[in-house]
């Protein structure tokens, strides 16, 4: 069986701890899984450099989880790119990224 690819939708600040724990559990238990967390709206807050979740975010990145934030969100909220660690990527539109990943056959998860 080919390991699954999972795109995780993060759009609420309150769900950051749940999403990060779900992703950690997923990569701990499902060998070879590829995971991408796509954050927009208030969900981007949990991926900033200075948060209570910074250590877990860094661990996930080191373990191969792709963490990205929406450039539309950053622009509309006036959040500078420098507020995020270098390993956090960006995409022009989170919604487009989620649709494209699903069209590519990725599993969609929205905790």
């Amino acid at each position: 069986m080919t390991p699954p690819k999972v795109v995780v939708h993060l759009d609420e600040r309150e769900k950051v701890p749940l999403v990060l724990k779900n992703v950690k559990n997923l990569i701990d238990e499902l060998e070879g899984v590829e995971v991408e967390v796509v954050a927009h709206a208030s969900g981007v807050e949990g991926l900033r450099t200075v948060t209570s979740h910074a250590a877990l975010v860094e661990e996930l990145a080191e373990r191969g989880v792709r963490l990205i934030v929406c450039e539309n969100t950053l622009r509309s909220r006036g959040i500078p790119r420098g507020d995020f660690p270098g390993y956090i990527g960006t995409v022009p539109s989170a919604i487009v990224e989620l649709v494209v990943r699903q069209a590519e056959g990725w599993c969609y998860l929205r905790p």
Side-chain angles (χ1 to χ4, degrees):
M1 177 176 103
T2 303
K5 296 178 180 184
V6 180
V7 62
V8 182
H9 185 175
L10 175 58
D11 64 344
E12 297 175 53
R13 178 188 304 200
E14 298 77 23
K15 288 190 177 180
V16 170
L18 174 66
V19 166
L20 296 177
K21 178 108 173 129
N22 276 286
V23 169
K24 184 175 183 327
N25 290 342
L26 187 59
I27 63 175
D28 283 348
E29 300 296 327
L30 190 54
E31 187 175 335
V33 66
E34 187 174 342
V35 180
E36 179 177 291
V37 177
V38 179
H40 69 103
S42 67
V44 302
E45 299 297 334
L47 302 182
R48 285 185 168 197
T49 300
V50 181
T51 70
S52 60
H53 314 290
L56 180 53
V57 171
E58 183 175 5
E59 175 191 340
L60 295 175
E62 288 173 354
R63 293 182 64 191
V65 174
R66 184 168 180 234
L67 301 145
I68 59 173
V69 295
C70 175
E71 292 172 7
N72 286 335
T73 296
L74 299 184
R75 191 171 34 260
S76 70
R77 293 175 181 238
I79 301 172
R81 175 66 180 92
D83 280 10
F84 299 88
Y87 53 79
I88 302 289
T90 63
V91 291
S93 169
I95 298 304
V96 170
E97 181 72 5
L98 292 166
V99 169
V100 167
R101 288 298 188 204
Q102 290 175 78
E104 294 172 342
W106 289 54
C107 300
Y108 172 79
L109 177 64
R110 183 170 186 229

